């Protein structure tokens, strides 16, 4: 059988081939045809070469990618894959061959190549692993540990739980599993929606892969073979959400320069050589930047640490570990770039913002995703008494100048931060799970496949046509000290090394239902912070309204707009008296509001205006002044350290805390409601709450996105950043319903469309469905599909 390419009415590719290798080649080829610009962007981001055609605004990400050794790690992981699992390595090679076949034609139909002058390159076998790593390197939110350091330094230990994300500080993905006892067909249903940055082109690719071994539909990651996250094989289906596990560490390193070499202070008090070399980053329109790349036995050095003393490791040229201001890397041509912001929900150079707010790397969940941790007692209480496992004993967190080896800022020494992450240690990105997932027939097969999963750490749901059900955590989380898990670990002191890996826990179903929405659950022992329970509680409540559900009924849950986290602010409003007549009327109106963040609601707009005003008043209080100016760290890390988004996403905790550093919160709420009453919004929530997709190369004219319902803590999670912007850069990056009774009764949708080429027929044709909460049918009957020739398929 030759490779056959079909498309449905939405332009979604359905591929059929004689064997797995030919099918992988077909997937690579059609992805390059539909998503050439996206593939090349992600390849360059993995290599740290995107500034070569995007200019200085992309430099911050390229510097981080080079220092974190993303490309080198991906190369090592592919080399290990060839040794450990040659079948999968050959399969990846076949996908890459298809990408290289399809790129010239795909680039010819994609205007971004002409706009930038970029010519499509040649993919190498390690590039899909680089795309995967780059997409997920920030999912675990390791920069949250920087925020905790700053919060503790300026406000004390008690600040950590106050800003914890078990309040409205997190959003992520929704997913739910219904056993056959809870459905109209007697067979299980899976449904959900991954919440990520909405990108153009989208982060998920609807696709079907069929060969004699398997026939799978699902949502693929462009640039990566197979279908990892959400899929239906006909007899078994699976889905994931972020488990909110903590599996990356930041180490404070004491470094010194000895001639042209650099040494790091080890726990035994000796100075050990650090790997060192220099790299050149080409920057379009600017001179190249020379970058010093260092790696200690803990991991790659990603930045200097502005602790006591200058915090620099002085070198002889640009690009050494010398920070000259917040987010600024030394070296010619370095700049933040026009339009760059640092708050969640905004762009940081060419990086996306971070998860509950912004994302600086593709797919990266950060900011308030896992932003701040409660102390151990608060974590145990929130987990219902489940104590997070402790690694080897370590002393309490040391001061920056304490411990062995003298002062951190001693003559000739400086502090820097090294990032330790599992694939760098194990040379494994979990690609050995991908083929077994495609071949799965039952939940036991899915379970075994996810035993090989590495990162990101996910909660998995699966169900099969025989009624089998699965609810588990998959991934790799190191066992280490409590300090490692919550703050910066001092590399020069003992007790901070990794001591093996945690066993992955399993979850249960309650009354035939399992819900995952990044809340505390089976992954609680593996994490520090989780999403508030609002979305999970709301999904359970909605599912409880019927005993039996059909696939067609579940999209109503995707689009629920009830905002439970509004309660603390409304409670404060209810307690106010002596307001002006206008403010009193506004208060009464909000107290009578149904708490639904509907796009056509004027009450939702009024609530959002008051909420933003409260956030701004709190952020301006002198008690938080020391946190208003972020430390001199790379731009990629700054979204986690922005004060206004921190307050916005922790507002629920901050308003309910018994005491808040002397801040008069009733006065702040009073001032906010009177300020908004004096100049009230004149429109609806949708007038300002609009979709703002991330684009590596923005269009020539300003984008005026459509109105959105929902909000950060709604099941319909379309995240604004109160106090900064009502626009939403992240939300449901796809929606799906997998029906185990009949696959053709399954449903799916993405925010834009199947084709990544602006102006193409299927570039944005799913947007009207997505906005209305409707889903397109999954079509698997080949007779209902149109066979196409990619060499003639110029419009997708």
């Amino acid at each position: 059988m030759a490779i056959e390419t079909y498309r449905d009415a939405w332009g979604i590719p359905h591929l059929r081939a004689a064997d797995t290798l030919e099918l992988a080649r077909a997937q690579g080829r059609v992805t390059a045809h539909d998503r050439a610009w996206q593939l090349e962007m992600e390849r360059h981001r993995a290599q740290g070469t995107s500034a070569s055609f995007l200019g200085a605004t992309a430099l911050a990400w390229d510097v981080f990618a080079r220092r974190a050794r993303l490309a080198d790690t991906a190369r090592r992981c592919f080399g290990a894959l060839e040794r450990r699992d040659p079948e999968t390595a050959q399969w990846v090679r076949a996908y890459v061959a298809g990408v290289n076949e399809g790129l010239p034609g795909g680039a010819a139909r994609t205007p971004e190549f002409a706009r930038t002058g970029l010519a499509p390159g040649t993919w190498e076998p390690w590039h899909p692993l680089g795309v995967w790593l780059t997409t997920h390197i920030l999912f675990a939110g390791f920069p949250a540990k920087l925020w905790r350091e700053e919060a503790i330094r300026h406000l004390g230990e008690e600040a950590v739980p106050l800003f914890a994300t078990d309040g409205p500080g997190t959003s992520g993905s929704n997913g739910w599993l219904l056993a056959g006892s809870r459905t109209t067909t007697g067979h299980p249903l899976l449904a959900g929606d991954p919440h990520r940055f909405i990108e153009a082109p989208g982060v998920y690719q609807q696709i079907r892969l069929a060969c004699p071994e398997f026939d799978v539909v699902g949502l693929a990651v462009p640039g990566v073979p197979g279908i990892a996250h959400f899929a239906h094989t006909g007899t078994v289906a699976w889905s994931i959400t972020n488990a909110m596990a903590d599996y990356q560490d930041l180490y404070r390193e004491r470094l010194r320069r000895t001639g042209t070499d650099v040494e790091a202070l080890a726990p035994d008090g000796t100075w050990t050589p650090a790997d060192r070399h220099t790299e050149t980053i080409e920057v379009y329109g600017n001179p190249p930047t020379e970058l010093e790349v260092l790696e200690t036995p803990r991991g790659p050095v990603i930045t200097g640490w502005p602790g006591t003393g200058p915090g620099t490791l002085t070198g002889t040229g640009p690009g050494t570990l010398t920070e000259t201001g917040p987010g600024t890397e030394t070296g010619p041509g370095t700049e933040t770039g026009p339009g760059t912001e640092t708050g969640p929900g905004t762009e940081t150079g060419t990086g996306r913002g971070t998860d509950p707010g912004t994302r600086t790397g593709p797919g990266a969940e950060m900011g308030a995703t896992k932003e701040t941790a409660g102390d151990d007692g608060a974590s145990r209480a929130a987990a219902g008494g489940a104590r997070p496992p402790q690694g080897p004993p370590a002393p309490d967190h040391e001061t920056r100048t304490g411990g062995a080896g003298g002062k951190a800022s001693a003559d000739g020494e400086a502090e820097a931060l090294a990032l330790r992450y599992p694939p760098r240690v194990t040379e494994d990105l979990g690609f050995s799970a991908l083929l077994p997932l495609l071949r799965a027939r039952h939940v036991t097969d899915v379970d075994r496949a996810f035993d090989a999963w590495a990162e990101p750490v996910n909660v998995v749901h699966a169900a099969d046509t025989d009624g089998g059900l699965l609810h588990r955590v998959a991934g790799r989380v190191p066992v280490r000290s409590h300090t490692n898990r919550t703050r910066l670990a001092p590399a020069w002191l003992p007790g901070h090394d990794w001591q093996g890996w945690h066993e992955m826990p399993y979850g249960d179903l309650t009354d035939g239902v399992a819900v995952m929405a990044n809340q505390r659950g089976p992954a609680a022992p593996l994490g520090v912070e989780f999403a508030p329970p609002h979305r999970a509680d709301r999904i359970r409540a909605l599912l409880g309204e019927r005993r039996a559900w059909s696939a067609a009924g579940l999209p109503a849950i995707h689009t629920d707009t009830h905002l439970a986290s509004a309660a603390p602010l409304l409670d404060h409003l209810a307690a106010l008296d002596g307001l002006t007549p206008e403010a009193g009327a506004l208060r009464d109106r909000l107290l009578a509001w149904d708490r639904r963040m509907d796009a056509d609601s004027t009450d939702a707009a009024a609530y959002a205006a008051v909420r933003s005003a409260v956030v701004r008043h709190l952020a301006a209080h002198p008690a938080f002044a020391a946190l208003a100016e972020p430390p001199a760290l790379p731009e990629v890390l700054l979204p986690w350290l922005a004060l206004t988004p921190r307050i916005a996403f922790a507002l629920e905790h901050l308003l309910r805390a018994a005491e808040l550093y002397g801040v008069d919160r009733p006065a702040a709420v009073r001032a906010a409601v009177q300020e908004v009453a004096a100049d009230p919004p004149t429109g609806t929530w949708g007038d300002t709450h609009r979709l703002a997709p991330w684009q590596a190369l923005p269009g020539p004219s300003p984008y005026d996105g459509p109105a959105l319902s929902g909000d950060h803590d709604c099941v319909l999670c379309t995240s604004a950043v109160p106090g900064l912007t009502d626009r939403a850069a992240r939300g449901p990056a796809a929606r799906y319903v997998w029906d185990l009774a009949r696959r053709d009764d399954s449903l799916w949708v993405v925010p834009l469309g199947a084709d990544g080429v602006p102006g193409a027929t299927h570039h944005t044709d799913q947007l009207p469905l997505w906005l209305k909460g409707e889903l397109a049918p999954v079509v698997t009957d080949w007779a209902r599909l149109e066979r196409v020739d990619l060499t003639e398929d110029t419009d997708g």
Side-chain angles (χ1 to χ4, degrees):
M1 179 197 302
I3 291 175
E4 297 176 348
T5 302
Y6 295 78
R7 295 193 189 271
D8 65 11
W10 302 99
I12 296 168
H14 293 243
L15 309 176
R16 191 159 60 178
D19 56 44
T20 57
L21 295 181
E22 283 298 283
L23 187 58
R25 187 166 70 90
Q27 185 183 7
R29 188 178 66 174
V30 78
T31 304
H33 177 276
D34 292 357
R35 309 286 189 100
W37 172 252
Q38 183 179 29
L39 290 189
E40 284 294 83
M41 267 303 310
E42 297 307 318
R43 178 178 69 85
H44 279 284
R45 289 174 64 80
Q47 296 175 164
T49 54
S50 57
S52 65
F53 58 95
L54 292 178
T57 57
L59 182 59
W61 171 263
D62 285 356
V63 167
F64 171 75
R66 301 288 189 100
R67 284 184 172 165
R69 311 299 309 276
L70 299 186
D72 183 69
T73 301
R75 288 190 188 96
R76 292 186 185 187
C77 288
F78 184 77
L81 186 69
E82 287 196 300
R83 297 190 300 272
R84 299 167 181 162
D85 185 357
E87 182 191 21
T88 297
Q90 186 182 17
W91 178 68
V92 173
R93 286 183 178 277
Y95 178 88
V96 167
V99 169
N100 287 326
E101 289 174 12
L103 269 178
R109 61 188 292 268
T110 306
E112 288 91 343
F113 286 91
R115 286 180 58 194
T116 59
L118 179 68
T122 300
W123 276 52
E124 298 179 31
W126 65 268
H127 283 143
L129 286 78
V131 170
W132 187 263
L133 178 59
T134 303
T135 299
H136 297 111
I137 186 64
L138 293 170
F139 254 52
F142 68 83
K145 294 170 184 179
L146 299 171
W147 165 260
R148 294 180 201 131
E149 290 291 335
E150 290 300 292
I152 290 169
R153 181 158 70 99
H154 295 298
L155 298 176
E157 294 275 356
E158 67 276 9
V160 175
L162 281 173
F163 284 91
T165 56
D166 278 326
T170 307
S171 58
S173 303
N174 300 320
W176 57 95
L177 165 62
L178 294 171
S181 60
R182 297 298 305 275
T183 72
T184 57
T185 64
H187 288 80
L189 291 168
L190 278 72
D193 51 351
H195 302 157
R196 298 177 59 156
F197 263 69
I198 307 300
E199 301 186 20
V203 298
Y204 283 115
Q205 174 194 29
Q206 297 154 298
I207 199 166
R208 182 185 183 187
L209 305 175
C211 67
E213 281 193 79
F214 51 78
D215 183 339
V216 186
V217 297
L219 300 164
V221 174
V224 178
I227 306 173
H229 288 160
F230 310 94
H232 196 324
T233 74
T235 60
V236 66
W238 66 89
S239 58
I240 59 94
T241 63
N242 189 343
M244 309 298 284
D246 180 84
Y247 52 88
Q248 300 167 331
D249 285 350
L250 281 176
Y251 283 86
R252 288 165 48 210
E253 297 278 0
R254 289 184 178 174
L255 304 178
R256 70 180 184 185
R257 195 175 296 279
T258 57
T260 59
D261 297 325
V262 175
E263 296 179 329
L265 185 60
D268 62 4
T270 62
W271 290 91
T272 58
D275 291 336
R276 176 190 177 275
H277 70 276
T278 59
E279 298 183 9
T280 300
I281 303 179
E282 299 295 331
V283 185
Y284 178 78
N286 290 269
T289 290
E290 295 296 320
L291 183 72
E292 181 179 48
V293 179
L294 301 173
E295 185 166 5
T296 76
R298 269 67 58 188
V301 173
I302 60 170
T303 179
W305 177 236
T308 59
T312 63
L313 188 61
T314 305
T316 57
T320 57
L321 286 171
T322 304
E323 308 294 340
T324 61
T328 304
E329 302 285 343
T330 60
T334 302
E335 56 185 68
T336 301
T340 300
E341 302 173 8
T342 58
T346 63
E347 296 177 8
T348 308
T350 58
R352 292 82 154 164
T354 55
D355 188 56
T358 63
R359 171 162 99 99
T360 59
E365 305 254 353
M366 68 192 241
T369 313
K370 293 191 53 159
E371 290 180 333
T372 49
D375 61 17
D376 195 37
S379 298
R380 289 198 301 272
R387 180 185 179 89
Q390 299 298 299
D396 292 338
H397 193 78
E398 302 80 4
T399 63
R400 289 179 179 159
T401 57
K407 298 198 306 179
S409 56
D411 290 345
E413 298 177 25
E415 281 201 21
L417 298 183
L419 173 64
R420 187 170 181 84
Y421 55 99
R424 188 72 182 163
V425 175
T426 64
E427 298 186 338
D428 184 10
L429 274 165
F431 269 48
S432 289
L434 300 183
L435 266 174
L437 283 172
L438 294 177
R439 292 167 172 158
R441 295 293 181 268
H442 304 282
V443 294
T444 52
D445 302 324
V446 173
D447 193 19
R448 282 193 295 269
F450 273 108
D451 284 341
W453 195 262
E455 76 163 51
V457 180
N458 291 323
V459 179
V460 179
H461 283 168
D464 62 34
T465 52
D466 293 331
L469 305 171
L470 178 67
H471 183 197
R472 65 163 292 180
V473 182
R476 188 166 287 143
V477 179
V479 177
R480 72 275 204 224
S481 77
H482 182 69
T483 295
N484 291 55
R485 299 172 69 239
T486 56
R487 298 179 61 184
L488 308 184
W492 60 87
L493 291 178
H496 297 287
D497 53 345
W498 288 9
Q499 299 288 327
W501 306 95
H502 284 289
E503 292 290 330
M504 291 295 101
Y506 286 75
D508 298 319
L509 276 72
T510 302
D511 191 27
V513 174
V515 175
M516 51 186 188
N518 315 109
Q519 80 281 16
R520 291 182 183 273
L526 307 175
V528 176
E529 297 185 51
F530 297 82
H534 304 305
R535 287 182 288 114
D537 289 349
R538 182 64 177 170
I539 292 168
R540 282 193 173 277
L542 292 169
L543 290 173
E545 293 178 358
R546 300 184 198 173
R547 184 63 199 174
W549 287 84
S550 67
L554 289 179
I557 294 177
H558 287 130
T559 53
D560 185 78
T561 60
H562 185 265
L563 187 66
S565 63
L569 178 52
L570 296 177
D571 289 344
H572 272 274
L573 285 172
L576 294 179
D577 55 18
L579 296 171
T580 65
E582 295 81 7
L586 176 57
R587 175 200 59 195
D588 294 344
R589 173 184 165 196
L590 292 178
L591 293 179
W593 168 51
D594 62 7
R595 305 189 187 189
R596 292 187 176 275
M597 299 297 286
D598 294 328
D600 60 358
S601 171
T602 56
D603 290 342
Y607 169 79
V610 172
R611 179 179 60 182
S612 284
V614 170
V615 168
R616 289 192 295 269
H617 280 283
L618 294 180
H621 195 279
F624 304 121
L627 291 167
E629 184 67 27
L633 290 169
E635 177 186 327
V636 167
L637 306 178
L638 292 184
W640 277 273
L641 294 159
L643 176 63
T644 298
R646 283 286 178 178
I647 287 178
F649 294 131
L651 188 62
E652 189 170 17
H653 277 342
L654 299 178
L655 290 177
R656 281 181 167 160
E659 201 280 329
L660 188 68
Y661 304 101
V663 177
D664 188 341
R665 285 158 292 172
V669 174
R670 178 185 299 275
V673 72
Q674 295 193 152
E675 173 186 313
V676 173
D679 185 20
T682 58
T684 65
W685 176 226
D687 287 339
T688 58
H689 190 54
R690 292 181 171 270
L691 180 64
W694 184 88
Q695 294 177 279
L697 188 67
S701 58
Y703 178 81
D704 184 21
L708 295 179
S709 293
D711 196 41
H712 192 69
D713 285 314
C714 299
V715 177
L716 179 53
C717 181
T718 52
S719 295
V721 188
L724 285 181
T725 180
D726 289 343
R727 288 184 174 267
R730 69 181 302 283
R735 296 189 183 106
Y736 62 90
V737 177
W738 299 143
D739 192 337
L740 274 301
R742 183 175 178 271
R743 188 167 65 169
D744 273 24
D745 288 335
S746 299
L747 304 162
W748 56 1
V749 75
V750 293
L752 299 175
D755 199 326
V757 177
T761 301
H762 300 296
H763 182 55
T764 59
D765 58 337
Q766 294 184 56
L767 179 59
L769 293 181
W770 184 82
L771 290 171
K772 290 185 289 185
E774 298 176 358
L775 282 72
V778 171
V779 177
T780 60
D781 182 352
W782 296 101
R784 297 173 57 194
L785 305 172
E786 179 184 359
R787 188 167 178 177
V788 298
D789 181 349
L790 291 186
T791 61
E792 300 174 358
D793 186 19
T794 59
D795 187 52

